[in-house]
Each structure stands twice: as structure tokens, then as C-alpha cells.
Amino acid sequence: DAEITQSPRHKITETGRQVTLACHQTWNHNNMFWYRQDLGHGLRLIHYSYGVHDTNKGEVSDGYSVSRSNTEDLPLTLESAASSQTSVYFCASSERGGGNEQFFGPGTRLTVL
Amino acid sequence: AQKVTQAQTEISVVEKEDVTLDCVYETRDTTYYLFWYKQPPSGELVFLIRRNSFDEQNEISGRYSWNFQKSTSSFNFTITASQVVDSAVYFCALSETFSGGYNKLIFGAGTRLAVHP
């Protein structure tokens, strides 16, 4: 069955370190997204991609980067982790088209000490 | 700018009560989509329903029903005869729609529903 996976599921790191969160989908979806979930804010969009080599900034992109070298993967990199980036991170993917639902990964809980 | 407001932060009910979760949205688009997702205590996000801006028919699926009203920019979700398994955080979301298949989602802050036995 097609799926979307994230790794690691839990990560503890220190301020200033570079961290990469992996996202892999086997749906063959063109569209991929990264969100962070914080209490009181719901899910906020960090970066998104509508195809290979396409990346775009979301509403909370500062301190994060992504690259899309193939259809299946969209890794999220925190260049220099900050305590404010402690959060739960969700990756999602969807087919093209505004009406298509996004399928979410299980989430990665990141703690920055 | 697009915005989704879920004014109810937390709702607590007793099993078998009916409960309505409110969702109000703002958009200047004439074509848009609205979604509801459920996040149970296990943490995953589960898609529940999608509605496009041209379809104002109410939707019923078992104990779940959705009331979409463009006149009030609302897309409310009702659970009839609630059960403990309905306990979750529920998110309403709006899809910005552009040509080329773009579908960014804007989420509300979520409503935490607790159903007590």
C-alpha cells in the first residue's frame, strides 16, 4: 500500500545544530508540504513543493529549508536549530489540483534544548 | 488574506450528546475548497471531508454531518450521539486554489473535543 513516512519520529537536539527531518511518500504525488503544529496555532505551513526542483516558502519558513531532487522525498532542514523550533512536524502529500486532500505522515516530535 | 477561525478551543460533552464544531473562513477566491481533519490522541491526521465552494449541499456520513453556508462563510461539523472514540482535535482547513494544481492548506487552530462516558 502507498504511504507517507517520516523519520525520525522523535528527535532531541541542541541549539545551533543542523537537523534534517526526512519525508518519503510512495503515492507518486507531485505536491508535498511541511507543516509545524503548535498549541493554539493549528498547523502552519513551512515549505511546499509542486514538483521536482520546485520549492516555495510558506508562512513560517524562516530558519528552514527544503530541496526536492525526486518525486518521493522532501527533506526539511533546520540550518541552526533554535528552541522556538521545538514542535511537532508533519509532512503531507497530494495529487495536483486544489480539491485534492493532503495525506499526512505520522509526524516528528522535535525538541531543541 | 485567507483565514480560518475555529473559535471553540475545547468542548467537553457526555457520551450520546450532539455536538457542533464551528468553522468560519475568509477568502477572496471564488473557487475554493474546505476540509475537515481529525487528529485522535495517537497524533495522526485523518481526512474527514472535502467541500468545494460551488456545492452547498449538506453532507451526512453516519453520525457525522456538515453544514456549508457561503452566506455566513461557515462550514460547521456536527457529531450526533457522540461517542468516546470521537475524542480528538478537529481541524477545519481552507485550500487556496491557483492554476497549475496548487493546493496549499490554511488550517484553523483546531477544536479539542472530549467525550466523557
Side-chain angles (χ1 to χ4, degrees):
Chain A
D1 287 345
E3 61 178 355
I4 179 166
T5 57
Q6 294 182 233
S7 62
R9 296 292 313 279
H10 301 271
K11 174 79 175 178
I12 300 174
T13 191
E14 294 177 345
T15 302
R17 290 190 180 269
Q18 184 181 78
V19 176
T20 297
L21 308 183
C23 175
H24 179 80
Q25 53 98 3
T26 58
W27 295 94
N28 201 35
H29 286 159
N30 284 303
N31 299 354
M32 294 186 74
F33 309 84
W34 274 104
Y35 296 90
R36 60 177 288 174
Q37 181 179 12
D38 305 287
L39 270 176
H41 291 281
L43 282 85
R44 292 180 292 176
L45 185 63
I46 305 171
H47 281 285
Y48 57 102
S49 167
Y50 291 132
V52 177
H53 302 309
D54 175 75
T55 61
N56 306 277
K57 293 181 179 180
E59 64 174 309
V60 290
S61 61
D62 286 349
Y64 303 95
S65 64
V66 293
S67 63
R68 186 96 180 264
S69 58
N70 59 51
T71 300
E72 295 80 18
D73 299 290
L74 187 69
L76 177 71
T77 297
L78 287 69
E79 303 294 344
S80 177
S83 57
S84 60
Q85 294 177 307
T86 293
S87 186
V88 179
Y89 292 85
F90 285 96
C91 179
S93 71
S94 76
E95 294 181 350
R96 284 183 178 274
N100 290 310
E101 71 267 30
Q102 294 182 14
F103 294 86
F104 285 81
T108 293
R109 183 174 296 275
L110 176 68
T111 302
V112 183
L113 301 175
Chain B
Q2 277 87 347
K3 184 180 177 182
V4 176
T5 301
Q6 294 181 256
Q8 304 150 308
T9 305
E10 293 189 30
I11 300 175
S12 182
V13 300
V14 176
E15 216 172 11
K16 298 184 183 177
E17 282 187 41
D18 297 347
V19 57
T20 296
L21 310 181
D22 297 333
C23 173
V24 174
Y25 62 92
E26 296 175 26
T27 181
R28 283 193 283 255
D29 290 349
T30 56
T31 303
Y32 53 89
Y33 293 83
L34 295 161
F35 299 80
W36 276 95
Y37 282 84
K38 175 182 180 180
Q39 186 178 42
S42 52
E44 75 271 23
L45 283 146
V46 178
F47 165 75
L48 294 178
I49 191 170
R50 165 188 51 239
R51 174 65 73 228
N52 75 54
S53 53
F54 297 108
D55 182 3
E56 286 195 72
Q57 285 190 1
N58 290 336
E59 178 91 9
I60 297 175
S61 176
R63 296 183 297 105
Y64 294 174
S65 62
W66 290 268
N67 182 8
F68 175 36
Q69 291 194 339
K70 287 180 75 172
S71 61
T72 56
S73 297
S74 64
F75 186 42
N76 296 337
F77 173 30
T78 297
I79 302 175
T80 302
S82 60
Q83 301 176 1
V84 172
V85 293
D86 296 326
S87 297
V89 180
Y90 291 87
F91 292 100
C92 180
L94 168 70
S95 174
E96 294 183 345
T97 305
F98 305 95
S99 61
Y102 301 161
N103 61 333
K104 291 194 300 180
L105 282 179
I106 298 158
F107 282 85
T111 297
R112 181 178 298 276
L113 174 65
V115 182
H116 302 284

